[in-house]
Amino acid sequence: MNALTDTYTLQNGVEIPCVGFGTWQVEPGDEAVNAVKHALEAGYRHVDTAQGYHNEESVGRAVRESGLRRDSVFLTTKLTNSVRGYQQTIDAFNASARKLGTDYVDLFLVHWPVPFDFRDTWEKSNAESWRAMEDLHRDGRIRALGVSNFHGKHVEALKKTAKVMPVVNQIRLCPGDTQDEVVRYSRSQGMLLEAYSPLGVGRIFDVPEMQALADKYGRTIAQIAIRWSLERGYLPLPKSVTPERIRENTQVFDFELDPQDVEMMAGLTGAAGTSADPDRITW
């Protein structure tokens, strides 16, 4: 990858820009609108949101106010944990499309495989929601289907009834949190790995080894972490609301990390936190 708008090609042929702008924990309203507009001005063409972030309307407004054509911005949103079932998923998707101000989304994900309210029925509930997503995909409302926080057993359960396979698994990936088994499985199924929280929700900035690498390469810690994601073959989704940092986070294509540094960063186990167990979440 040599530029922000270079793309990965998903298994179904859809092209997705290699770095996305994350909006988790970005407050709806002016904060989200301004952050996304700054990201688009900095060159991002891929924005990731979710029903559970409560900022879809702000993301959609920012895209419209940017003046960019809709088909030049790759938009992702996700099915929230409180919604499962065929018609409920159709209705939730339509609500997202209205909030985003678009007829279609580029990527729609099931956000978590085992929501607390569906813990006893998660397999059947996911199958019904996935059937709705397949119909929306068939009708051109969703260009690509994917999952988030799914482990192998969750995908295998989905495959029992699915006609369209997920082409993306969005999971927490950052230095020291590599989820190797999930990554291996996802890749064996042809899924692209998207890395949410690639900066460890800010905890990466307190890791001495990351500061040493920033000094070595003359880069910011964030740039080192984002470059690490790219060199591992992930699609990182960094988030910031600060214009200067939003721009800095795009400047990751004019240097490479030494292989031993890539491995060292992978081995910083738990330094920037660890992934939640999707079978035990309480939301």
Side-chain angles (χ1 to χ4, degrees), residues 209-226:
E209 293 89 343
M210 293 299 297
Q211 184 59 60
L213 288 177
D215 295 340
K216 173 181 175 178
Y217 290 96
R219 299 286 174 158
T220 67
I221 289 175
Q223 288 169 337
I224 297 293
I226 295 165

Side-chain angles (χ1 to χ4, degrees), residues 5 11 13 22 32 36 76 92 109 112 121 148 151 158 175 197 199 228 244 281:
T5 52
Q11 194 168 217
V36 173
T76 299
L109 310 177
W112 288 88
T121 61
S148 184
H151 291 184
L158 198 63
S197 299
L199 310 181
W228 176 85
E244 181 180 357
I281 61 170

Side-chain angles (χ1 to χ4, degrees), residues 75-188:
L75 281 177
T76 299
T77 192
K78 310 176 191 75
L79 182 69
T80 195
N81 282 6
S82 61
V83 174
R84 287 296 186 276
Y86 181 87
Q87 190 57 48
Q88 295 93 326
T89 299
I90 298 286
D91 293 345
F93 174 85
N94 286 334
S96 285
R98 286 194 299 271
K99 290 174 183 176
L100 289 164
T102 182
D103 294 330
Y104 71 96
V105 299
D106 297 281
L107 178 62
F108 193 63
L109 310 177
V110 180
H111 205 156
W112 288 88
V114 189
F116 183 78
D117 289 343
F118 297 93
R119 186 167 288 177
D120 295 333
T121 61
W122 67 268
E123 187 169 343
K124 180 180 178 181
S125 299
N126 286 344
E128 282 299 292
S129 287
W130 194 260
R131 184 166 65 89
M133 291 165 60
E134 289 178 328
D135 285 351
L136 291 162
H137 177 262
R138 179 201 62 206
D139 294 342
R141 306 287 310 284
I142 302 171
R143 296 180 65 218
L145 304 181
V147 295
S148 184
N149 300 295
F150 274 53
H151 291 184
K153 70 175 185 179
H154 306 123
V155 179
E156 288 298 315
L158 198 63
K159 286 169 60 179
K160 293 177 183 177
T161 56
K163 296 180 175 64
V164 178
M165 294 300 113
V167 295
V168 164
N169 194 1
Q170 184 182 121
I171 63 175
R172 189 183 195 273
L173 292 166
C174 66
D177 189 9
T178 56
Q179 298 206 66
D180 294 341
E181 183 176 342
V182 179
V183 167
R184 280 193 297 270
Y185 172 82
S186 299
R187 286 177 168 160
S188 78

